[in-house]
Amino acid sequence: LLLQTKLFRPSLRPSLITRSPLIERLNTGLDYARLTLISAPAGFGKTTLVTTWLNTLTAGQTNIGWLSLDGNDNDPIRFLVYLIAALQTAVPSIGETAVRFLQSPQPPAAETILTLLINDISQVGHPIVLVLDDYHVIAAASVHQILAFLLDHLPPLFHLLITTRSDPQLPLSRLRVGGQMVELRANDLRF
C-alpha cells in the first residue's frame, strides 16, 4: 500500500519570486550531468526552486517523477517500491517486472531489481527527471548503495535530482571530478 501523496510535486504559491540564474544552472545540468545535488539547511527554498524549475520544463518532452522521502524509506525494499512508483508517475510502464520481483516472498538482491529497472529506463525515448526530496532522512547504508548503483549505471536520458540538508553518502567526489554533477549550496540559494 503506497501513500500517493509522497509522489506529488508540491504546489507553488502565486507570490513566488522566480530565480532565473538558478533555473538556468538546473537546465544546464540536464545537458551533461547525471546528478543535481541541492544541499542547504531548512528554509533555503530547495523544494520551491525545484518545483519552479520543473514547471519551466517543456511539457511532454521531459518525464518527471517525484518522491518525498521520510524516515520509513530507510528500508531498502520500501525505498525501491517508492522509487519505482515515482518513476511510474513519469512513465507508467517502467519497473513492472521489478515490482513483481519485489512482491515475491523472497525478493532478489537489490542489484537485480535495479538492473531490471535501469533496462526499462534505457528503453524510454524521452528525458526522465527523478526528484528525491529530503534525502537527508536516509541513513541506511543499503539505501545509499542502491542509489550509488543507480548513479553508476544511469542511461543517458535519465537525470537524478536530490534535495537534502546534508551531503548524502554517495560517490559525490567521483561525480564532481567526472563533471557528472551540478551542485547548488546554501550560498547559491541565498538572496
Side-chain angles (χ1 to χ4, degrees):
L1 190 62
L2 296 176
L3 180 60
Q4 293 297 314
T5 54
K6 287 172 57 80
L7 308 174
F8 294 167
R9 274 190 275 174
S11 24
L12 294 172
R13 296 180 303 254
S15 61
L16 183 71
I17 297 172
T18 304
R19 304 181 73 186
S20 300
L22 296 178
I23 298 288
E24 187 55 39
R25 282 183 63 188
L26 293 173
N27 284 333
T28 302
L30 277 182
D31 294 335
Y32 68 88
R34 293 174 181 251
L35 172 67
T36 295
L37 178 69
I38 303 177
S39 181
F44 271 71
K46 299 178 294 292
T47 301
T48 301
L49 173 64
V50 173
T51 304
T52 304
W53 172 64
L54 293 176
N55 287 345
T56 68
L57 295 180
T58 307
Q61 293 184 359
T62 301
N63 300 298
I64 299 165
W66 184 281
L67 176 56
S68 296
L69 297 165
D70 61 46
N72 293 323
D73 296 318
N74 279 288
D75 174 81
I77 299 295
R78 178 184 163 99
F79 179 81
L80 282 168
V81 167
Y82 271 105
L83 180 78
I84 294 169
L87 286 168
Q88 287 177 336
T89 65
V91 181
S93 61
I94 285 180
E96 291 174 348
T97 304
V99 168
R100 282 196 300 277
F101 275 101
L102 281 170
Q103 292 170 341
S104 67
Q106 291 269 323
E111 189 173 309
T112 302
I113 300 296
L114 289 168
T115 300
L116 292 167
L117 186 60
I118 291 166
N119 289 342
D120 282 354
I121 293 168
S122 68
Q123 300 301 312
V124 177
H126 291 293
I128 299 172
V129 174
L130 176 63
V131 176
L132 300 179
D133 193 28
D134 290 334
Y135 194 80
H136 55 271
V137 300
I138 301 298
S142 56
V143 175
H144 296 312
Q145 289 168 354
I146 287 169
L147 212 52
F149 184 88
L150 184 63
L151 281 167
D152 284 344
H153 299 91
L154 285 182
L157 293 176
F158 187 90
H159 187 82
L160 182 64
L161 189 147
I162 294 175
T163 68
T164 182
R165 294 180 187 170
S166 59
D167 282 2
Q169 294 178 13
L170 297 171
L172 299 181
S173 297
R174 184 167 36 99
L175 291 167
R176 192 177 291 121
V177 168
Q180 293 293 309
M181 182 171 75
V182 171
E183 297 177 78
L184 295 177
R185 302 287 179 166
N187 285 339
D188 300 307
L189 296 173
R190 282 192 175 97
F191 281 98

